[in-house]
Amino acid sequence: MIEFILPPVSDFVKILSIQGEAIGFYSIKPKGTLDFETMGCYSMTTLDTIFIRTSQRRQGFGLSALQDILIEFPSQNIGFSYPLSCSMKLVLWKHLKEKTEDRPRFWETTGCFGTHANARNLWLILQKGT
C-alpha cells in the first residue's frame, strides 16, 4: 500500500489535470508561513514543489502552472525553492525573457528567514547560467 503524506494546512496546493486525470501538482508556501523545522517564517510566497508526470512534460504545463501562480499571487514577489531543476530554469527563462515586468519579482530562495536575506534574483542567475 502506498502512503501519501498530506502537506501542511497552511500550504496552497493545486493539482494539474487533463480531462480529470492528474498529470502533476504544485505547492506554495504563502508569505508568513511558519516552517516547523526551523521555527522561522517565509519572507515571501515560495513555490516549494512542482511535479509534472514525465509523459506530460515539454507541453507547456510548467509555464501554465507558473502563470496560475502569478494569477493567485498577483502583487507578490515569488520565491522558488533551491535547487531548481534544469526544466524549471528553462520555463523561468522563457517567461522572464517575454515578461520583463516579472524579472524583479522572481527569486531563488534557500530557507525562510529574513527579508530576502536568503534570496537571489532569478533573472540575474539565469543570465549568468549559474
Side-chain angles (χ1 to χ4, degrees), residues 35-50:
D35 180 345
F36 291 103
E37 288 182 32
T38 64
M39 297 310 289
C41 291
Y42 281 81
S43 63
M44 71 178 79
T45 297
T46 301
L47 175 65
D48 185 51
T49 309
I50 185 166

Side-chain angles (χ1 to χ4, degrees), residues 89 93 123-130:
K89 286 179 183 178
W93 175 258
W123 176 245
L124 298 177
I125 292 169
L126 295 170
Q127 283 184 304
K128 292 177 186 175
T130 58

Side-chain angles (χ1 to χ4, degrees), residues 73-92:
F73 304 95
S75 61
Q76 296 184 33
N77 286 341
I78 307 294
F80 294 83
S81 290
Y82 176 87
L84 297 173
S85 69
C86 292
S87 297
M88 192 64 200
K89 286 179 183 178
L90 184 59
V91 167
L92 290 164

Side-chain angles (χ1 to χ4, degrees), residues 17 30 94 101:
S17 64
K94 285 180 182 178
E101 67 274 14

